[in-house]
Amino acid sequence: MAAALEPSGWWQLWRRRLSARDGSRMLLLLLLLGSGQGPRQVRAGQTFEYLKREHSLSKPYQGVGTSSSSLWNLMGNAMVMTQYIRLTPDMQSKQGALWNRVVRIFLPPVWLTQKPCFLRDWELQVHFKIHGQGKKNLHGDGLAIWYTKDRMQPGPVFGNMDKFVGLGVFVDTYPNEEKQQERVFPYISAMVNNGSLSYDHERDGRPTELGGCTAIVRNLHYDTFLVIRYVKRHLTIMMDIDGKHEWRDCIEVPGVRLPRGYYFGTSSITGDLSDNHDVISLKLFELTVERTPEEEKLHRDVFLPSVDNMKLPEMTAPLPPLSGLALFLIVFFSLVFSVFAIVIGLILYNKWQDQSRKRFY
Ligand SMILES: *[C@@H]1O[C@H](CO)[C@@H](O)[C@H](O)[C@H]1NC(C)=O
Ligand SMILES: [Ca+2]
């Protein structure tokens, strides 16, 4: 793997500093900086965080889903409440979604355009709550957070379309695959797709996942958060679900190539089993990091999402047994090669002996 994909020293340092979610803010430095959008937070060294209001959502949810100029669109059964946005209620067969856009309205003749997110390095903090009446393993299906090319496309993947193009992060609350002894649900996993892969719901997305972790998030009386950070092609997913205000590692994948200009969204679905899936806030931060000239060259824009050195289970499956012919050919050529090597060896040995004899005369 290329050295540039390895997390560098500053990254490790920065991560350590970030592990306390509400790290100290250097107000003075803040004031000394030039103007920009939204409030700024200075975290560590050369890294700055800017809240991007146009890609964020928080209370009060004025105009969400109703105003034509809203930054967020609702879909399906999603409902705006005063304290949260309910993607699905705790009822069977519901689905809902919430999608970001940046609207530029104005000017007669009116033009409305929706603009996606063009940030290169970012961090999305998701404040969510999953709760319901269902007892052990009788609740579902979970929610997903998206950074995708398409928006507002209902479908089977936690309420969003299958064969999506982009990144999906799933908080899967129900184990569909029966023999999941070693995996405890709810389970967070991530998937990057260029539009060719299907999410295998029956197997909880296992064949295509980049990584994952158990996250006991249902029916908690404190706030639960998830953070998706994408910096220098490094995807990190952490969670704060223990009520300790600390980020805990979940997924870390280097070499993730995500195009710019995709949309953020979140969606959820219920089937026979259900839960309330609520989103309280979505906060997108722009991260400004310094890149060396080599990194600038390496991190050029891409047009399709991909992951370097991704090994899907299908590819890592044991090789099929060799056919009789293949085995014969391998043995045959091995023998030919061995004989050849022995002959060459003997010739060289004889030459060497001749020469050493010559030296004695
Ligand atoms: C899309 O992804 C699949 C699976 O990772 C891969 O086999 C295929 O080559 C990719 N297609 C393109 C055009 O990159
Ligand atoms: Ca599942």
Side-chain angles (χ1 to χ4, degrees):
M1 199 188 298
L5 296 172
E6 295 294 327
S8 48
W10 67 262
W11 168 262
Q12 298 294 353
L13 178 72
W14 177 44
R15 275 198 44 202
R16 239 171 284 138
R17 293 210 189 171
L18 271 183
S19 56
R21 194 162 48 80
D22 283 310
S24 63
R25 282 151 211 193
M26 295 159 70
L27 265 167
L28 186 65
L29 231 149
L30 243 166
L31 292 170
L32 292 173
L33 287 161
S35 62
Q37 289 189 65
R40 274 146 285 164
Q41 287 179 309
V42 180
R43 288 224 161 147
Q46 313 263 298
T47 309
F48 302 92
E49 270 194 3
Y50 301 84
L51 178 71
K52 303 304 274 188
R53 291 186 187 285
E54 65 270 37
H55 301 297
S56 298
L57 170 87
S58 57
K59 285 180 276 191
Y61 312 110
Q62 270 159 1
V64 171
T66 49
S67 158
S68 62
S69 63
S70 172
L71 299 172
W72 294 87
N73 288 128
L74 289 186
M75 218 177 59
N77 303 105
M79 283 178 298
V80 182
M81 313 301 276
T82 53
Q83 301 299 315
Y84 50 84
I85 292 185
R86 180 149 288 174
L87 298 175
T88 75
D90 189 0
M91 290 161 71
Q92 291 185 333
S93 305
K94 301 286 177 190
Q95 71 178 61
L98 179 67
W99 284 96
N100 178 231
R101 61 174 177 178
V102 172
V103 187
R104 293 187 295 167
I105 358 165
F106 185 48
L107 294 184
V110 175
W111 48 270
L112 279 165
T113 53
Q114 47 196 42
K115 204 161 67 79
C117 173
F118 284 98
L119 301 179
R120 223 169 156 196
D121 304 282
W122 49 263
E123 172 177 308
L124 181 67
Q125 295 183 3
V126 184
H127 183 183
F128 67 101
K129 190 171 174 70
I130 301 177
H131 56 116
Q133 301 293 316
K135 292 290 176 293
K136 195 167 164 45
N137 269 356
L138 290 174
H139 47 80
D141 286 325
L143 60 80
I145 298 135
W146 302 100
Y147 173 70
T148 51
K149 184 163 172 269
D150 303 290
R151 62 194 290 283
M152 305 290 278
Q153 304 291 324
V157 188
F158 295 89
N160 190 31
M161 63 188 278
D162 196 11
K163 303 205 167 176
F164 60 89
V165 180
L167 168 72
V169 175
F170 313 119
V171 183
D172 187 351
T173 51
Y174 181 74
N176 293 77
E177 189 168 29
E178 272 163 24
K179 40 184 195 314
Q180 289 266 25
Q181 262 79 23
E182 77 276 30
R183 185 172 282 193
V184 177
F185 279 68
Y187 195 83
I188 297 178
S189 65
M191 171 176 174
V192 166
N193 197 352
N194 60 18
S196 73
L197 299 172
S198 262
Y199 175 86
D200 189 345
H201 187 67
E202 296 312 311
R203 298 202 55 206
D204 302 301
R206 264 202 200 204
T208 51
E209 73 186 14
L210 292 176
C213 69
T214 292
I216 309 299
V217 291
R218 281 188 76 248
N219 289 342
L220 298 176
H221 58 272
Y222 44 78
D223 294 330
T224 46
F225 301 87
L226 199 132
V227 65
I228 303 168
R229 186 179 299 147
Y230 182 64
V231 179
K232 292 190 175 186
R233 296 205 163 156
H234 208 101
L235 177 72
T236 311
I237 297 171
M238 293 184 285
M239 56 198 181
D240 170 1
I241 58 167
D242 307 315
K244 289 187 194 150
H245 297 287
E246 269 181 11
W247 290 122
R248 194 141 64 78
D249 286 338
C250 178
I251 298 170
E252 197 166 341
V253 193
V256 176
R257 297 160 190 253
L258 296 174
R260 295 197 282 169
Y262 281 10
Y263 295 99
F264 286 104
T266 173
S267 68
S268 176
I269 197 166
T270 65
D272 292 340
L273 303 169
S274 63
D275 251 341
N276 295 301
H277 296 98
D278 301 340
V279 171
I280 294 123
S281 71
L282 294 163
K283 287 185 182 155
L284 186 79
F285 294 91
E286 173 175 21
L287 303 179
T288 62
V289 291
E290 295 204 339
R291 282 181 165 78
T292 61
E294 296 86 69
E295 283 174 329
E296 284 290 348
K297 226 180 270 173
L298 266 171
H299 298 175
R300 285 222 188 93
D301 280 347
V302 292
F303 296 100
L304 264 185
S306 66
V307 181
D308 298 346
N309 308 315
M310 184 163 76
K311 291 180 202 76
L312 294 178
E314 283 89 335
M315 300 178 199
T316 52
L319 290 167
L322 290 169
S323 70
L325 178 68
L327 202 61
F328 168 77
L329 287 174
I330 288 174
V331 171
F332 178 77
F333 281 108
S334 304
L335 276 175
V336 169
F337 181 77
S338 307
V339 169
F340 191 68
I342 288 167
V343 170
I344 299 262
L346 283 174
I347 291 171
L348 287 176
Y349 179 72
N350 280 339
K351 269 217 161 132
W352 174 76
Q353 272 201 330
D354 282 354
Q355 274 184 350
S356 32
R357 242 177 266 131
K358 266 182 220 152
R359 248 178 265 145
F360 286 108
Y361 296 110

